[in-house]
C-alpha cells in the first residue's frame, strides 16, 4: 500500500466514525471507521519504516591510506 492509500483509509475511517449518522442494519459504521483508521495508521507506519530503510545510504568508503617514503635516496 502506498502512502496515499493509507491516508485515504484514515480519512474514510474518520468520516465513517465521526461524521456519518447512518444506521445500517447488521453493521456498526463507527466500528468500521475505527478499524479503517487503525489499518491506515499501521500501513503508514510500515510504509515510513520501509521507506526510511530503503533511502539510508551507507557511509562513504574510507580514503586509502598512502604512506610516503620520507627517506632520501641518492
Amino acid at each position: 500500500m502506498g502512502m496515499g492509500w493509507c491516508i485515504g483509509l484514515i480519512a474514510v475511517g474518520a468520516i465513517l466514525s465521526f461524521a456519518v449518522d447512518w444506521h445500517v442494519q447488521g453493521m456498526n459504521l463507527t466500528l468500521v471507521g475505527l478499524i479503517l483508521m487503525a489499518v491506515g495508521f499501521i500501513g503508514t507506519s510500515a510504509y515510513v519504516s520501509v521507506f526510511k530503510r530503503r533511502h539510508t545510504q551507507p557511509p562513504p568508503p574510507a580514503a586509502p591510506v598512502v604512506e610516503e617514503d620520507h627517506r632520501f635516496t641518492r
Side-chain angles (χ1 to χ4, degrees), residues 58-66:
V65 177
V66 178

Side-chain angles (χ1 to χ4, degrees), residues 8-49:
L9 281 176
I10 295 169
V12 169
I15 290 170
L16 286 177
S17 292
F18 306 120
V20 172
D21 60 351
W22 299 333
H23 298 286
V24 179
Q25 185 177 357
M27 187 185 316
N28 186 353
L29 289 180
T30 304
L31 182 61
V32 171
L34 291 174
I35 291 171
L36 286 176
M37 285 193 297
V39 169
F41 283 123
I42 291 169
T44 301
S45 64
Y47 181 80
V48 167
S49 69

